[in-house]
Amino acid sequence: MMRNKTMPEATRQLPGPATRAEMELLLLCARTRSSVELTRRIRAAARKEIDWVQFIRLVLRHDTVALTYRNLQRNCPDLVPSGVMEPLRERNEALAAESRLLADELVHVLGFLDSQGIPAVTYKGPALAVRLYGDLSLRGFGDLDIMVCEQDALRTRRLLLDRDYAPERVDTGDVSHLLGEHHEMLFYRMDGKVRLDLHWRFTNRSACLPGDPERFLQQLETISIAGTELQSLRLETYLLVLAMHAAKHQWVQLKLICDIAEILAVPDLNWAFVLREAGELGLKRVLGTGLLLAQDLLGALVPRKLAQNLKIDRRAKAFAAQARTRLCEEPGERWGLQGGITSQMEIRERFRDRAKIFLRYFLPKLRPSERDRWFLPLPNALSAAYYVVRPVRLVLQRIGRTGQLP
C-alpha cells in the first residue's frame, strides 16, 4: 500500500520552472550510490532557485525522505536552509523508529504463524529495505506485507483477529467470498501503530496472471531482519513483482521506480530468468516501462542482456512518458489508486491477455439482476433471454430513456 502525506483535492500541474528545479534535486537525491559527479550535480541543483516548501512536499509524496536527507546531509548541508534540514532530520528519525517497530512486529507475526503451521513469506517493506537498500531505514514503508497460501488465508485472518488486529473491512457471516473477489485483506493493530496487508495473490484476479502466486514463490532466499532469518523473494522475481505493482499504481510514486533502479544495479543477477518469465507471463511491456523510467529518471544502467533482448515497444515508451508527467502533478482524489480497465489492458502486450482482462471485467456486468426482471418480466422458461435484455436495458438507461427505473 502506498503512503502519501499530501492529498490536495484537485490535481493540477505544478509551476513550470520551479518544478524542474525541485524535481531535478529530488531525482538526484533518490539514489543510494554516491560519486564525485553526483555530489557535483546535487550541489549545482541545490544552488538553483528552489521552492523548499514545494520540494519537501515532493519528498513526502514520493516517500523518499531517508534517501533525500542522507544525500543532502552528505553533499550540500551548507546550501539547504536550516529550516528545511532540521524538520527533514526529525521526520527521517521518526520514520526510522517506525521502521524498526514494524520490523520487530513482522518477526513476531511470522514466528507466530509458523508456530501455527502456516508458512508465510514477507515481501516489500522491511524485506526489500534490508535486501536491496542494505538499511532498514533507507526505504520508506508504512505497512507490512505478508503472503500466505490461499487455503491458509481465512485461518490466518482468524489468528490475526486473536492477536488484536482488526480488519479494515468488517464482514458479518461467511467471509470465504473474499478469497475469490480480492487478493489481499488489510488489518490494523488495535493500538493503531501497525498496518498489515495479508495477501494470497500478488495481483488481483482481473490481471489474469497465470500461476500467481505459486510461480513467484518457487525460489526464495533467506534474509535477516531484526536478527531473525526470514524467507523472501529473490531479486529477479522482485523485479517482475515490483514492475507489476508500480504499473498497477500507474507509476505515480518515485519510490516505486527507485526499487527498479536499485535492482538493476545489483551485479550477477539471472537476467535470462527475468526475460524468460516476462515473456511467458506477457509482462515485457510492464518490465520495459519500468526499465525506461529507472534509466531516464535515475540514471540506472540497464544490463546489456536485458537491453539487447527486451524489445521495448511504442506503448511502453508512451506509458513511461505519461508516468514522467504524473510525477510532477499534485495528487488528486484517485492518486495512487489502481488504473482503470483501459490502462490494465494496454499495459499487456499480448492480445490473449487483454481479451481475458476484458472478459473478466465485463462478463459479471452482464449477469442478469432483479432490475432486468422488473424491466421485462419473462416466464422462467425464457430466463436465458435476460442475458440479451440486460445490455439493452443498460444502454437505454445510459441514454436517459429509463432514468426512472429503480
Side-chain angles (χ1 to χ4, degrees), residues 13-34:
Q13 191 73 22
L14 297 174
T19 296
R20 286 194 292 272
E22 287 117 37
M23 282 300 298
E24 179 186 6
L25 184 58
L26 177 75
L27 294 173
L28 289 172
C29 288
R31 311 175 189 213
T32 59
R33 291 158 183 81
S34 59

Side-chain angles (χ1 to χ4, degrees), residues 251 288-290 292-293 296-297 314-325:
W251 308 95
T289 303
L292 283 175
L293 289 169
D296 295 347
L297 297 175
R314 287 182 298 175
R315 289 305 305 158
K317 294 176 182 177
F319 273 111
Q322 293 168 10
R324 286 192 290 269
T325 300

Side-chain angles (χ1 to χ4, degrees), residues 13-82:
Q13 191 73 22
L14 297 174
T19 296
R20 286 194 292 272
E22 287 117 37
M23 282 300 298
E24 179 186 6
L25 184 58
L26 177 75
L27 294 173
L28 289 172
C29 288
R31 311 175 189 213
T32 59
R33 291 158 183 81
S34 59
S35 66
V36 173
E37 174 63 15
L38 181 61
T39 296
R40 184 194 67 77
R41 293 177 64 191
I42 289 177
R43 290 188 64 83
R47 287 193 181 99
K48 296 182 180 179
E49 189 175 344
I50 302 290
D51 181 339
W52 290 105
V53 173
Q54 189 68 281
F55 175 74
I56 293 301
R57 294 180 68 217
L58 285 170
V59 171
L60 292 174
R61 183 195 318 157
H62 292 289
D63 208 3
T64 59
V65 172
L67 289 174
T68 299
Y69 176 74
R70 187 173 77 162
N71 278 303
L72 291 179
Q73 182 64 32
R74 283 181 173 181
N75 300 300
C76 59
D78 55 313
L79 300 177
V80 183
S82 59

